[in-house]
């Protein structure tokens, strides 16, 4: 299996701050949240989307979802008005939406209250 790795670092330095094994295929989309500090989203040709919690020295996968009806995923974007809503585009699946706030692990990692709380 091909492991796609991503390095995060300061371009003024020679070494990355850390490297993560993100997906089983190439990463085709990245999005950073301007509303939720430390939230990185990735999508891949392996049909999955992952939400990562970044710190200065590490990254941990908070949640992941496979879009099985897609051949591959190509783009990901966060809604500017609703910070946990994703739009994901892929081959043969068109546009799909995923509200990350429906995921307990995501809410806990980014201190988001459950709806109705």
């Amino acid at each position: 299996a091909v492991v796609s790795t991503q390095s995060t670092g300061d371009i003024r330095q020679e070494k990355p701050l850390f490297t993560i094994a993100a997906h089983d295929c190439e990463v085709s989309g990245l999005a950073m949240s301007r509303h939720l500090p430390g939230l990185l989203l990735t999508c891949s040709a392996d049909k999955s989307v992952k939400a990562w919690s970044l710190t200065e020295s590490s990254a941990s996968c908070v949640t992941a979802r496979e879009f099985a009806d897609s051949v591959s995923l190509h783009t990901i974007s966060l809604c500017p008005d609703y910070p946990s809503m994703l739009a994901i585009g892929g081959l043969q699946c068109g546009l799909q939406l995923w509200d990350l706030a429906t995921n307990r692990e995501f809410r806990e990692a980014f201190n988001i209250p459950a709806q109705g709380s």
Side-chain angles (χ1 to χ4, degrees):
V2 175
V3 175
S4 176
T5 60
Q6 295 178 310
S7 295
T8 303
D10 181 338
I11 61 171
R12 298 169 294 186
Q13 307 296 321
E14 290 189 31
K15 293 184 179 182
L17 296 175
F18 56 87
T19 301
I20 57 175
H23 292 271
D24 293 333
C25 294
E26 67 273 6
V27 172
S28 52
L30 291 170
M32 292 288 301
S33 174
R34 62 181 161 167
H35 298 288
L36 299 171
L39 174 59
L40 169 69
L41 299 154
T42 58
C43 69
S44 171
D46 67 7
K47 305 178 188 182
S48 69
V49 172
K50 294 184 179 183
W52 302 86
S53 177
L54 302 180
T55 66
E56 288 187 23
S57 60
S58 69
S60 60
C61 183
V62 174
T63 188
R65 180 174 167 190
E66 184 174 334
F67 290 82
D69 52 342
S70 175
V71 172
S72 67
L73 300 177
H74 296 288
T75 188
I76 189 168
S77 183
L78 282 157
C79 176
D81 297 322
Y82 191 72
S84 64
M85 182 64 72
L86 301 180
I88 302 116
L91 188 59
Q92 293 185 344
C93 73
L95 176 69
Q96 300 217 11
L97 300 176
W98 180 20
D99 183 359
L100 289 165
T102 61
N103 181 277
R104 182 180 50 84
E105 290 85 4
F106 176 81
R107 289 192 314 268
E108 289 173 359
F110 291 96
N111 298 314
I112 297 171
Q115 292 180 349
S117 296

